[in-house]
């Protein structure tokens, strides 16, 4: 899959609340939501992994929706397996 990290503004450096659907050659995958945790004393990783449906599917575009509604489309080159994206 494609893995990486988001960098938000100073008041939300881990981009909590952002959603990341990945568009690939087979279609649009499920959206991953960046969250702090889902239960008592839980904590999610700041690094996300976006799965591809098969080895033959190539990632094409990351459709990043920041908290607050701002949308950014990021083209994924063929040889990239990691992303590191800032809000700025």
């Amino acid at each position: 899959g494609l893995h990486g990290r988001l960098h938000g503004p100073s008041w939300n450096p881990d981009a909590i609340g952002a959603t990341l659907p990945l568009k690939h050659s087979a279609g649009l995958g499920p959206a991953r939501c960046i969250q702090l945790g889902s239960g008592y004393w839980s904590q999610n990783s700041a690094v996300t992994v976006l799965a591809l449906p098969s080895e033959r599917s190539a990632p094409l575009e990351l459709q990043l929706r920041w908290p607050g509604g701002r949308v950014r489309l990021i083209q994924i080159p063929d040889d990239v397996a990691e992303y590191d994206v800032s809000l700025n």
Side-chain angles (χ1 to χ4, degrees):
L2 182 69
H3 69 279
R5 184 181 177 112
L6 299 177
H7 302 279
S10 61
W11 53 268
N12 186 3
D14 291 325
I16 304 302
T19 56
L20 302 157
L22 178 64
K23 183 178 180 181
H24 45 78
S25 54
L28 188 63
R32 173 82 57 170
C33 182
I34 307 300
Q35 58 184 12
L36 287 174
S38 59
Y40 183 69
W41 277 28
S42 68
Q43 181 176 353
N44 293 3
S45 174
V47 175
T48 59
V49 178
L50 304 170
L52 297 170
S54 71
E55 292 178 15
R56 293 174 295 188
S57 295
L60 301 175
E61 181 178 73
L62 186 61
Q63 298 178 357
L64 175 57
R65 182 176 302 275
W66 291 99
R70 183 175 169 192
V71 176
R72 184 172 173 194
L73 303 176
I74 301 165
Q75 301 298 317
I76 309 288
D78 290 336
D79 58 345
V80 171
E82 298 182 13
Y83 64 88
D84 192 25
V85 179
S86 294
L87 176 59
N88 302 335

